[in-house]
Amino acid sequence: MLFNSLEFTIFLPVVFTIYWVLQKSKLKYQNFWILASSYFFYGWWDWRFLGLILFSTLVDYFAAKSISSSNGNNRKLYLWLSICVNLGFLGFFKYFNFFIDSLKNSVLFFGGELDVATLEIVLPVGISFYTFQTLSYTIDVYRGKIKPTDDFIAFAAFVSFFPQLVAGPIERASNLLPQFFTKRTFSYSLAIDGLRQILWGLFKKMVIADNCATFANLIFNNSDDYSGSTLFVGAMFFAFQIYGDFSGYSDIAIGTARLFGFNLMKNFAFPYFSRDIAEFWRRWHISLSTWFRDYLYIPLGGSKVGSITKIRNVFIIFIVSGFWHGANWTFIVWGALNALFFIPLLVLNRNRKNLDFDEHQNVWIYLKNLFNRVLTFILVTIAWVFFRAESIDHALNYLKSMFTKALFTSLDSKILEDSTVLFYLISIFILLEWVGRKNEYALEKLGMSWPMLIRWSFYGLIIFSIGMFMVTEETPFIYFQF
């Protein structure tokens, strides 16, 4: 079930109403209602994979309890059981055909032939997200950071919590699970704040991302027909598409959770205003970046090792992160390219230079920051070409055609004419994001000091723009495929 679908506009009010009717009863009834609603939400897409979530939940529930009650090597045994089962499912559904194809191509490269058939595998939506979420639970229990829960309903609701089930944020048990044991009462201000964030998420997805997708798809699918300048604009459209799509989803997820009295972790912090690549990765997909930091980078030694090992660790993190996104070499190259952008900052010990948005009043520093922001956006956009392209050859040919003298020629007249309104919408979007950059999301405090009539007119204008510029057909979120 998509957040931007008619089904969800019916589903959400029904679940919301019954949930708060249950607030005077025992907490376990509210948790059970969340669990039932979450399984219905996921089963709406494909009920056959409900058993997969249930099995994964059972494995981690009992693995964590066994870890807690065991000593010595048995604790490791149960931890590895959880890791192998979860990553085994992920590997089979997501990477089986990729490894078979890569093996066949390798054998063919050396003159041989391998006759192994691939399988028609349907990738379960959100498997990468809930797999990492449940893994963090058993690892944290093993490390002694949290205690395992005896409440299976609460734990199953934590694993399948529908606002963030299929595309994150990837929650940690230490943050989300305790909230299922806390009495929740309806808060009008919290609900309004949640609705405001949902509204902003829908604007990002339905106005910015979906309209950018129209032109990005047109240009990427016909890249041989366009000049360098149009190809650059196509890459830029994709940069805004993926940001509007994924951060829009996160805003809707966080806002929806807030309607039910839950606080999810922040997943995006205005990454396109970053002044270097290190800052960008502190602001982009925060729940995944911090997951890899806590469960892979630090166990590898983190930054407390020699320079060569530190560089190796960075490469591992970025390449694994790229591979997490999809079973294609384009994602691996995308990750490696970001590592190459990041490593000079690491070597020069400048990777933690830009930590916040404090702007100095000095005009030269302001201009320097502006230059760094534009440069960082261009580097990120170049890397996105690999993320979006169908193959490595497609990405290389796209970049080769883009970086020619034609980069400085005028845009394709048809693209320019058809996308003029979108350029204005993107400009307004950037302006609103800039104004709200120090808050949790752009609309959080924007207009709070305005007269109520003007503030609500502003919200009405956003709703009107969604209705005015939304793409008519239903468009899935990009990260559903991961």
Side-chain angles (χ1 to χ4, degrees), residues 18 43 152 281 445:
I18 296 175
F152 179 75
W281 280 105
K445 295 179 181 175

Side-chain angles (χ1 to χ4, degrees), residues 313-326:
N313 292 347
V314 168
F315 261 109
I316 290 174
I317 293 300
F318 275 103
I319 288 174
V320 171
S321 175
F323 198 43
W324 177 90
H325 283 82

Side-chain angles (χ1 to χ4, degrees), residues 278-293:
E279 185 182 14
F280 174 81
W281 280 105
R282 281 193 296 274
R283 297 180 178 279
W284 180 275
H285 203 174
I286 297 167
S287 63
L288 181 68
S289 302
T290 53
W291 197 101
F292 280 122
R293 180 198 64 196

Side-chain angles (χ1 to χ4, degrees), residues 3 20 45 55 63 204 267 353 355 386 388 398 406 409 457:
F3 282 163
W20 287 117
W45 168 72
F55 184 75
K204 284 180 174 177
N267 213 19
K353 182 185 175 187
L355 298 176
F386 286 92
R388 171 60 182 80
Y398 192 102
T409 59
S457 297

Side-chain angles (χ1 to χ4, degrees), residues 224-448:
D224 291 341
D225 300 336
Y226 292 111
S227 65
S229 58
T230 304
L231 293 177
F232 178 76
V233 169
M236 193 189 72
F237 277 139
F238 180 71
F240 281 103
Q241 178 198 348
I242 194 167
Y243 174 59
D245 191 288
F246 193 24
S247 71
Y249 178 91
S250 295
D251 280 337
I252 298 169
I254 294 168
T256 302
R258 205 165 286 149
L259 291 178
F260 294 86
F262 288 87
N263 284 313
L264 300 181
M265 69 183 296
K266 191 175 183 178
N267 213 19
F268 288 86
F270 311 98
Y272 286 161
F273 297 144
S274 301
R275 287 151 289 186
D276 58 49
I277 289 293
E279 185 182 14
F280 174 81
W281 280 105
R282 281 193 296 274
R283 297 180 178 279
W284 180 275
H285 203 174
I286 297 167
S287 63
L288 181 68
S289 302
T290 53
W291 197 101
F292 280 122
R293 180 198 64 196
D294 294 343
Y295 299 108
L296 188 58
Y297 184 67
I298 291 176
L300 286 171
S303 301
K304 298 177 180 177
V305 290
S307 298
I308 300 299
T309 308
K310 209 182 322 184
I311 291 171
R312 180 207 66 180
N313 292 347
V314 168
F315 261 109
I316 290 174
I317 293 300
F318 275 103
I319 288 174
V320 171
S321 175
F323 198 43
W324 177 90
H325 283 82
N328 194 319
W329 287 101
T330 53
F331 294 115
I332 295 174
V333 173
W334 169 74
L337 192 56
N338 274 284
L340 288 174
F341 293 156
F342 182 91
I343 282 171
L345 296 169
L346 182 73
V347 171
L348 297 172
N349 200 27
R350 296 170 67 88
N351 55 308
R352 297 191 63 79
K353 182 185 175 187
N354 297 309
L355 298 176
D356 53 46
F357 280 141
D358 285 342
E359 298 291 331
H360 300 278
Q361 298 305 312
N362 185 314
V363 66
W364 294 111
I365 293 178
Y366 179 84
L367 290 175
K368 178 186 170 188
N369 285 340
L370 178 62
F371 174 80
N372 289 336
R373 286 187 169 106
V374 173
L375 179 62
T376 303
F377 178 75
I378 290 173
L379 290 175
V380 169
T381 300
I382 290 171
W384 284 137
V385 171
F386 286 92
F387 194 98
R388 171 60 182 80
E390 300 297 326
S391 65
I392 298 293
D393 285 343
H394 182 204
L396 291 175
N397 288 332
Y398 192 102
L399 290 172
K400 185 179 175 184
S401 301
M402 190 170 86
F403 288 111
T404 61
K405 290 181 181 178
L407 180 61
F408 303 101
T409 59
S410 57
L411 288 178
D412 178 271
S413 57
K414 177 68 173 164
I415 295 286
L416 181 61
E417 181 183 348
D418 292 347
S419 62
T420 300
V421 174
L422 181 56
F423 276 112
Y424 287 126
L425 290 171
I426 292 174
S427 301
I428 294 169
F429 171 64
I430 293 172
L431 177 64
L432 292 176
E433 288 263 294
W434 178 257
V435 170
R437 69 192 182 282
K438 294 182 180 178
N439 302 318
E440 289 295 306
Y441 60 97
L443 291 192
E444 184 187 16
K445 295 179 181 175
L446 185 62
M448 287 296 110

